[in-house]
Amino acid sequence: MKKARRGEDLNLRLVSSLLVVVAEGHFGRAADRLFVTAPALSQQIRRLEEQVGVELVDRSSHPVVLTAAGEVFVADARPALEFAVRAMNGLDALERRRARRLRIGFINGAAGSLGRAVIDSLHAEVELVQLDWSQQVSAVASATVDAAFVRPPLPVLDGVVLERIGVEPRVAALPRGHQLAGRTSIEISEIDGMVQVSSDGAPLEWVKWWSVDPRPSGVPVRYGPSVRTMDEALEVVANGRAVVITAATIAEYYTRSDVSFVRISDIEQCSIDLCTREGDSSPAVIELRKAVAALGLGRTTSE
C-alpha cells in the first residue's frame, strides 16, 4: 500500500486562511475578514498544520508570525494558491462571457454618478463587487472581476489597461463636530498635523498621494489606523482617530450624521478610471468600454 505523502491532500482554502492570518497578524482580525469566529479559524490552521506535519504560526508572538517552517511553506504555497485561484477565476470568467454577464469591482461608491451612468447604459447583467483598496488592479488581472472602477495613481500590472472616466475634487472627511466641519472649503495646510488613515495592503505611492504626502508646507504627514475600505476609514474618522482625504462623490454614498465632507481647494483633483484586461474581447466588456467612451474621457463631475 502506497504511503501518503505529507500534505498530499492539501486544502487550499486552509492555505488561504493562513495567508489572511499572516497578513493581519492577529486571529481575531483575520477571523473578521473571513467571516468566521477566531476559535474556528484557529482550528482551521491546526488542521493545516496537521496536514503538513509542522507548526506554521507562532501563536505566542504578538503580532502572530510564521515559524521558520511556516516561512518555507508559505514561500512555495502562495504561488500555488494564486495559480489555483487564477484557474478557477478563468473558468468563472468564461462562464460570465457566455452568459453575457459582467462582474465589476469598485472600492468607493462605484465611481459616483459617472459610474452609475456607465452601468445604467449597459444591456449586460451586472454584478458589483466591493474590493479592498489593495485589490483595485489585481482583482482585474486575476479575473476575479471583469473590470473595476479604480482610483489612481496605481502601479501598472502587465495585462491590464486603464481608461479615464472622469475627474473630480478631493475632500477631507472630518468628524462632524470638528472645527473645520462646517466650512464649504479648506486648504490642505489647515489639516497639516492631523493624523491620516493608512492602508498596509495598498501601494505606498497610492496611500501617500491620497494623503498629499509630502505636504506643500513641508509639515510631515502623520499616519494612524490602517484600513482597507471606505467603510472602515469613515468609522475611524467618526471616532476622531484620524481624517481621510477622498473623492467628492463619496459624500453621495456615505451620508453619515457623524462625518462631514469638506472640499480641499488647493490640491490636484482625483480621477476615476476603468480597469480591464488587455485584449479582453468579450461582448460585455466591449460594451462597457464603449459606454465609457460615450461619456467623454476625462469628464469633470459637478462640483
Side-chain angles (χ1 to χ4, degrees):
M1 182 176 178
K2 181 181 177 182
K3 183 179 179 181
R5 297 176 60 193
R6 173 188 290 182
E8 192 171 76
D9 297 321
L10 193 63
N11 187 321
L12 292 179
R13 184 177 64 84
L14 299 183
V15 176
S16 179
S17 296
L18 172 65
L19 296 183
V20 176
V21 171
V22 173
E24 292 294 337
H26 189 275
F27 274 94
R29 290 194 298 270
D32 289 341
R33 282 185 59 181
L34 295 169
F35 302 103
V36 298
T37 64
L41 178 57
S42 181
Q43 289 175 9
Q44 289 179 14
I45 303 306
R46 287 290 188 200
R47 287 201 300 272
L48 178 60
E49 290 173 328
E50 290 171 1
Q51 286 184 5
V52 299
V54 293
E55 287 193 353
L56 298 172
V57 295
D58 181 356
R59 288 171 170 78
S60 65
S61 175
H62 301 285
V64 175
V65 296
L66 291 168
T67 62
E71 294 279 2
V72 172
F73 175 78
V74 165
D76 290 327
R78 191 189 299 273
L81 178 62
E82 291 172 350
F83 180 83
V85 170
R86 284 199 304 272
M88 296 307 299
N89 286 345
L91 292 177
D92 288 343
L94 177 61
E95 182 180 338
R96 293 195 300 273
R97 177 172 180 165
R98 288 172 174 170
R100 200 177 175 82
R101 293 201 311 269
L102 266 178
R103 181 178 291 165
I104 301 177
F106 68 97
I107 59 164
N108 303 328
S113 58
L114 293 182
R116 288 198 304 273
V118 170
I119 293 171
D120 289 346
S121 70
L122 299 176
H123 294 94
E125 179 185 343
V126 174
E127 175 190 357
L128 292 177
V129 179
Q130 182 162 357
L131 305 173
D132 287 358
W133 290 347
S134 62
Q135 299 173 313
Q136 296 180 72
V137 177
S138 63
V140 177
S142 66
T144 301
V145 296
D146 303 301
F149 294 123
V150 301
R151 296 284 187 176
L154 292 163
V156 177
L157 293 182
D158 290 341
V160 300
V161 291
L162 300 181
E163 300 171 76
R164 178 67 50 83
I165 299 176
V167 296
E168 61 179 311
R170 280 187 281 176
V171 298
L174 303 165
R176 180 68 73 178
H178 194 277
Q179 61 182 357
L180 300 175
R183 299 265 295 274
T184 56
S185 68
I186 60 173
E187 295 182 355
I188 187 63
S189 62
E190 294 183 82
I191 59 172
D192 281 352
M194 297 183 190
V195 176
Q196 307 289 305
V197 298
S198 184
S199 184
D200 293 339
L204 179 59
E205 172 194 8
W206 189 84
V207 173
K208 294 183 71 171
W209 189 86
W210 279 97
S211 299
V212 192
D213 183 4
R215 293 287 170 86
S217 63
V219 174
V221 174
R222 298 165 54 209
Y223 291 101
S226 177
V227 297
R228 300 185 301 269
T229 66
M230 185 54 62
D231 291 285
E232 293 181 6
L234 294 183
E235 197 62 36
V236 167
V237 171
N239 291 333
R241 298 170 59 199
V243 300
V244 62
I245 298 172
T246 186
T249 51
I250 295 304
E252 299 175 14
Y253 283 85
Y254 297 91
T255 52
R256 298 180 52 136
S257 61
D258 49 5
V259 174
S260 295
F261 297 92
V262 183
R263 181 183 172 186
I264 305 175
S265 61
D266 59 345
I267 61 173
E268 181 184 359
Q269 292 192 322
C270 60
S271 67
I272 311 162
D273 287 16
L274 175 70
C275 179
T276 57
R277 287 184 294 281
E278 188 175 15
D280 189 338
S281 59
S282 67
V285 170
I286 291 174
E287 181 189 13
L288 176 61
R289 290 175 178 148
K290 287 181 178 178
V292 168
L295 278 175
L297 300 183
R299 176 179 172 183
T300 303
T301 63
S302 61
E303 304 178 14

